[in-house]
Amino acid sequence: MLSPEAITKIDYELTKYPANQRQAAVMSALRIVQTERGWLSKESITEVAQYLGMPEIAALEVATFYNMYDLSPVGKYKITVCTNISCMLRDSDVIVDHLKAKLGVGFNEVTADGKFCIKEGECMGCCGGAPLLHVNNTQMHEFLTTEKVDAVLKDLLQQSSDEEAVK
Amino acid sequence: MLNIEIDGKALEVEHGSTIIDAADKAGIAIPRFCYHPKLSVAANCRMCLVQVEKFNKPLPACATPVADGMKIFTRSKSAIEAQKSVMEFLLINHPLDCPICDQGGECDLQDIAVAYGTSGSRYTEEKRVVFNKNIGPLVSTDMTRCIQCTRCVRFLQEVGGIMELGMVGRGEHAEIAAYVDKSVNSELSGNIIDLCPVGALTSKPFRYSARSWELTRRPSIAPHDGLGSHIEVHVKDNKVMRVLPREKESINECWLSDRDRFSYEGLNSPDRLKVPMIKHNGAWVETDWKTALEFAAGQIKDITNEHGSEALGVLVSPNSTMEEGYLAKKLAAGLGCGNVDYRLRQTDFRLDGKRLGTPWMGCNIQEIEELDRILVIGSNLRNEHPLLAQRFRKAVANGAELSIISPLDNNPLMDIAHKVIVRPNDMVNVLGQVLKAMSGLQRLSLCLPPSLTQLLSDIKVRPNTQAIAESMAGHGKDYDLISPKVGIFLGNMALSDPRFTEMYSMAEAIGGISGAKGGILPAAANSTGMHMMGVMPNATGMHARAMLEVPRKAYLIVNIEPELDCQHAALAKAAMEKAECVVALTAFKSQALDNADVLLPIAPFTETSGTFMSMEGRVQSFAAVTRPLGECRPAWKVLRVLANALGLQGFDYETSEQVKDAIFGGEKPSAMVWRSLNNNLKELVEIHINIKHDGLQRIGEVPQYESDPIVRRSVPLQKTKYNIKPMARMCASQLSELGLVDGDYVLAKQDKGSAVLTVKLDNHVAKGCVRVAAAHEDTIGLGDLMGDIAVEKISAEQFTAHEAVTMEARG
Amino acid sequence: MATKKAKTKAKTPVMTDLKGQTLLCLRTLTEENPAALDTYIKLGGYSALKRIVTDKVKATDIITEVKTSGLRGRGGAGFPTGLKWSFMPRYFDGTKYLVCNTDEGEPGTFKDRDIIRYNPHQLIEGMAIAAYTLGARVGYNYIHGEIWQDYEIFEAALHEAKAAGYLGENILGTNFSFDLYAVHGYGAYICGEETALIESIEGKKGQPRFKPPFPASYGVFGKPTNVNNTESYTSIPWILQHGGQAFADLGVPNSGGTKLFSVSGHVENPGNYEVKMGTPFNELLALAGGVWKGRKLKAVIPGGPSTPVMPAEAIMAATMDYDGLSKARSSLGAGSMIVMDETTCMVKTLHRLSYFFYEESCGQCTPCREGTGWVYRVIDRIVNGKGKMEDLDLLTDVSNNIAGRTICALGEAAATPVLSFIKHFRPEFEYYIQHGKSMLDSK
């Protein structure tokens, strides 16, 4: 079942399109549900498709076409590092190697504590800030150095333990 | 018209044609994979790239509209380079496993590769492998062979009406798939096998059973519904290996319903009756034809001699050929018996003798696409007419408004403009409302006869029926159609209803006012033909229902399983039980024929010649495609010899063509058809409209894969999702009114009979109705398809006990 | 890295030195709070829209002005904007749509991001003027999914503009109404292609449509649609404020106005630089602080990887405008200058680029779906020391077979780097194949 919060958000996105074009909101709806649940299970995709009144397979097409949807769990923090040309020229390899060493996982792997996952990203359209990464599809960190990566990881761990403390 | 040139050949083509259309018409071959004239243009395979003067890049012939003066080169250096390069790309990831591929020998990729490919490959990297998917019992997949042309995706979306396949993933990883673990459930799914240009989608039942070049291809006509689809039967060693569509634009186009495509598996069923059998002391004994026929003739003769000719009842399947129907009727007449009928699933015969001609669909199949306004009464279109439904879908896609009056709210996979979902009994009232609203619409100055006006005076028109009336009258939201093309059609549920006469009369009146085409959508392959030949009781004879209600001493039944093919299963069963002698002409051994006394093995449609007349009045003859199995004989021959044995005169036919000539009196069939088809009534029949009826009504739908003895024996069709055990299906409010929940057990009672069923929540069913499928052994205790029914809750223990008993009874 | 200003945490989050730039699309960058509505209005923002809607300026006059300006599509194709606008059907029974393409995913391109985060209102005004001119009732700005924070800035600006009466029903009290919405991609380069973008707006996979029909007749939801790049729309208010001629005069013949150049790679100060069309490359390079670490320039990809790479000599002699770069046998593209210094291995660079096109091919049509994978695998084999000399001809041949035979321009885009890298740096490739390692590694 979609949460009331998710439905409110999806309904807001639906206001952008004609009433008979509910499918248009699928990109947002999948994003909203993924943000809430961490990744898109088949059940999640089915729920979105049903809510929008579109064939499930059409929703699956969308979910599998766009890179930023995750069809398997990606841990609490998905770190996507761009390795495309502008980033590569500014040593994104160093950032990637540092992350891999620090977290002890390779691309598309989740750390044992379920906190982190590293993904290789394609161009994020921020090449002026290379090398860069983004966390959970939303927070962009640019002009990376290994020290800056450490700071980002530290912040995330802090954030995570703060949240657990609240719970 | 535009003047263009293809490969130096000057052509005149219509505005809006594409290069590929123009080339196809001129017989200039352009290779293609994704393009299909019946589907939207995808232009994704790029195989049809051609050179066009003034363009520096090659253009896809399928998607490029012609312009005046265009010069196109399909075999120039640039065109051939483009085509060869595309061919090379298509093959780099293709497994080239032709020797073990079912498509081998009839593969577009193979054929075009021979013409456009090279002998070796420059590709030395690793090839892509795609996991196979299980998409159901009919279509087998080998997705590594897929070339992503998306014909299957487009077919299901555009023709089938629902997107069941998609291309998931991206780039090289994109693959055709159904949603997660779902299967493809379209009743037209088999067409994707034909559409697939490679061996990615092949026929599951046919898989690995023959190579295409070993097959002999013979034309025939599909025998399961009134469409009259053209089929091609593929035979190897006197066995039907598969059935494919034969292209016939005006009937089935290039498609086939799954029922017509996969029913052949029933022909090879172990149930096939291969030798005549006589029941001796309650046990079946094989015998020879001579003995069997003499026995049958002797029994019939004895009984009619003793009790009079009316002691005999003759029931003929509406899926039997015209020749068979004609001879059955003639045989009965020869004995002086008027009890003949083919209308096995009808219960209301009040229109007999009131018709001006043979009822039919009232237009040509193709004309459906051109309609602007459509009213469908009492039909679950996809179930009853799987392929015809697609024409309606096209009409709706073209902008037609579809209105539905039905006890079932099943999604026809096309947009419905207006619908009224009510109990069958109330459908009459709804039709009355539509009629009243239409006559009241100012635009229409036509008046109804006083008798009808009086009938309608007490009816109150509700908003949704008003909307249907306005739609029929051409009124629209944005603009009104001055002279809309209207079609009104009555389906199986109307035809089986005890108030069919009312529904028909109302529909005829609405049609009269709106200038509608249309009529009935007869269920079976030869319903229209049987009616035209009068395979019906004479003035003193009994109709199908009466013959069962007032049991006959003897029955001659042709090509039917009485309790599965008759409208009142319990009645049919009891009548057969009681009869002194039942002579059954049948292709199958069957529990349903246990009450027979003689079984005469007849040839199904593939093993005999004959003629069907379709719902649009098309008379189509076909020849046998194989020799009859075992001792089977064509039914027309069996009837002839039986008549001879009965000592009747005038049965000297040597061929089925001679029988056909007799039917048409040497006239051209179309001339007789033209004279006969007529949906009008001679006179208004006494009807009552607003009858209150509060009890529960059964909707005894015949599931499409239970419609006749052949289909019922096709294992792959029986494995599809459509084949679910009959249940007591009701809407939520009905369930709560009865204090039932989904999964409960009930005893359903009709007349004296009953059935034990599981309760199923089905919100497609009108309130006040219980949907219980017919033509199934679980429901043979029940009565009228569309009659009164009562349900009472029983315990799980009672249900299990009942199950055990029936299991035992079935052995 | 960023300029001193950025490092001192000035309120204006300027990444590049504004000196030497001609700020037009990024004109608010001089201010403290560039994205705010007040800032924009202070600089004369929304005055063009106000004048147009209250004076009921004729659509044809606006189009004439845009034609005079010489504005050409800033997304890469360089199609004259005024001409494109004239393709929209004037009379249409139903909703016409306006679409803005802020789906920057071509490596090296990041100019539109700065527009939506630093000067969103100028884009909104530009789109409103376009909507007025073309009779569009609804507009969408399709934003690259990765720049989520900037998407939120833009969406906030939309609400701000609507509240102030610049969007929505009866704009500025006139009978002109226009609803503009932000929508987003979610990781697909191909959606930068306008018809793929339209499919994506409709909630489908971003697979390009075959053209014709063009979006002007069959666009969003099958309705007439005008699609322009962010920078193109953002140029409009200035053009209508100062006149088309003034815009044209900023640039050189055939290339009117200013252009945002995204400079990335091996320079001291990567970032966006808005300069006049026709600016010599060496001036632009100097603005970006020159090649980093005092190294020598090796090559530049001037307009994103879909434009041919240029060796140092060629680019140093070129001016930054449509004709200037096409004379130099490359193309302005989206103005995405990827600068490579002397230490760059062209084989490895091409390896990464070919992987990108292989990954991002939508999979719809054969040559691109199959060809990009083939090209990548061959280059991958070369990089892994298993190359064969004949691979170079094979790569050229396969790339030529992709180019010009696909539904959209991604086919060409994928072929271009392969063809141009091998053409200009063939010895490097040959060295790699012969020695199984990079020429640069041995230096």
Side-chain angles (χ1 to χ4, degrees), chain A residues 42 45-46 55-58 60-61 64-67, chain B residues 163-170 177-180 182:
Chain A
K42 278 145 199 168
I45 297 170
T46 302
E56 293 163 318
I57 181 71
L60 183 67
E61 279 192 342
T64 55
F65 188 86
Y66 298 91
N67 282 349
Chain B
M163 190 175 177
E164 291 189 297
L165 286 176
M167 195 160 86
V168 300
R170 193 167 79 189
Y179 187 68
V180 196
K182 289 206 169 173

Side-chain angles (χ1 to χ4, degrees), chain B residues 367-397:
Chain B
E367 281 178 287
I368 289 177
E369 283 175 35
E370 292 147 24
L371 296 171
D372 300 315
R373 302 286 195 252
I374 301 168
L375 173 60
V376 175
I377 303 163
S379 176
N380 182 1
L381 277 177
R382 288 174 56 206
N383 180 57
E384 295 166 18
H385 302 284
L387 190 53
L388 182 71
Q390 178 264 143
R391 295 270 188 181
F392 284 96
R393 194 166 293 133
K394 265 200 250 184
V396 172

Side-chain angles (χ1 to χ4, degrees), chain B residues 166-177:
Chain B
M167 195 160 86
V168 300
R170 193 167 79 189
E172 202 189 75
H173 315 294
E175 51 187 76
I176 301 294

